[in-house]
Amino acid sequence: MGRPPHSTSEPEDSSAPLTPTPHDHELPSKIDDDAFDAVSEAIQKYKPAITQIGFGAVVGYCSGYAAKTIGKAIALLSGVVFIGVQSAVYTGYVDVDWDKVKEDVIEEIDTDGDGEITTSDFLTYWRKLKKILTNKVPSASGFSLGFLYGLDS
């Protein structure tokens, strides 16, 4: 009979730990400054712009992310309500005039009175929302960009 496939001719060292110790994977005590030169240089170069848009961009991002999350919840709730109502319509329990519902919704949302929901209406709502969310916020110049990033994440 031969030896097991993974055995060695030398006896194993029973004092060696079987799992790595915390010291086996320590980071170097000093980080190499050369690796961060480009980033450090960019930070120094754009320091005034970063400080101006920094806070606005952060609160914009957080607001955008929150708006996206709230929007998803509203969409879910609206979808559930529509499915319930439409199921009741289909089975004959209720009768809904969807054309009248559409007219009423458009009338309520339409800001420019053209009878349609257009980009002009969205811009009006965006301006109102931005005015509310940036009121008395210092350095709100990066808010819009941060908001878009928050919506996209």
Side-chain angles (χ1 to χ4, degrees):
M1 300 214 153
R3 286 187 263 171
H6 290 41
S7 70
T8 61
S9 58
E10 298 176 21
E12 288 187 30
D13 181 9
S14 61
S15 65
L18 297 176
T19 57
T21 63
H23 303 290
D24 291 342
H25 294 83
E26 282 187 5
L27 293 173
S29 60
K30 182 179 181 227
I31 297 176
D32 184 12
D33 288 333
D34 293 336
F36 296 101
D37 273 353
V39 174
S40 298
E41 187 177 320
I43 290 171
Q44 289 302 320
K45 182 178 179 182
Y46 297 109
K47 186 177 182 179
I50 291 171
T51 56
Q52 288 296 313
I53 66 168
F55 182 73
V58 169
V59 295
Y61 176 85
C62 295
S63 299
Y65 187 82
K68 176 182 176 180
T69 304
I70 292 167
K72 284 182 176 184
I74 290 171
L76 175 68
L77 182 62
S78 300
V80 168
V81 168
F82 174 77
I83 289 170
V85 170
Q86 189 60 21
S87 296
V89 168
Y90 179 77
T91 55
Y93 286 104
V94 295
D95 188 29
V96 176
D97 183 358
W98 287 115
D99 288 328
K100 176 71 172 139
V101 171
K102 177 183 171 186
E103 288 173 17
D104 291 347
V105 168
I106 289 175
E107 184 179 326
E108 196 64 36
I109 296 174
D110 183 25
T111 60
D112 57 10
D114 65 356
E116 296 178 350
I117 300 172
T118 60
T119 55
S120 173
D121 301 315
F122 284 105
L123 284 171
T124 301
Y125 283 114
W126 166 245
R127 287 183 188 115
K128 288 179 182 180
L129 179 65
K130 184 178 176 185
K131 185 176 180 179
I132 292 167
L133 296 179
T134 59
N135 184 39
K136 297 184 180 181
V137 173
S139 305
S141 58
F143 182 85
S144 296
L145 185 60
F147 192 88
L148 284 175
Y149 276 118
L151 284 176
D152 194 39
S153 56

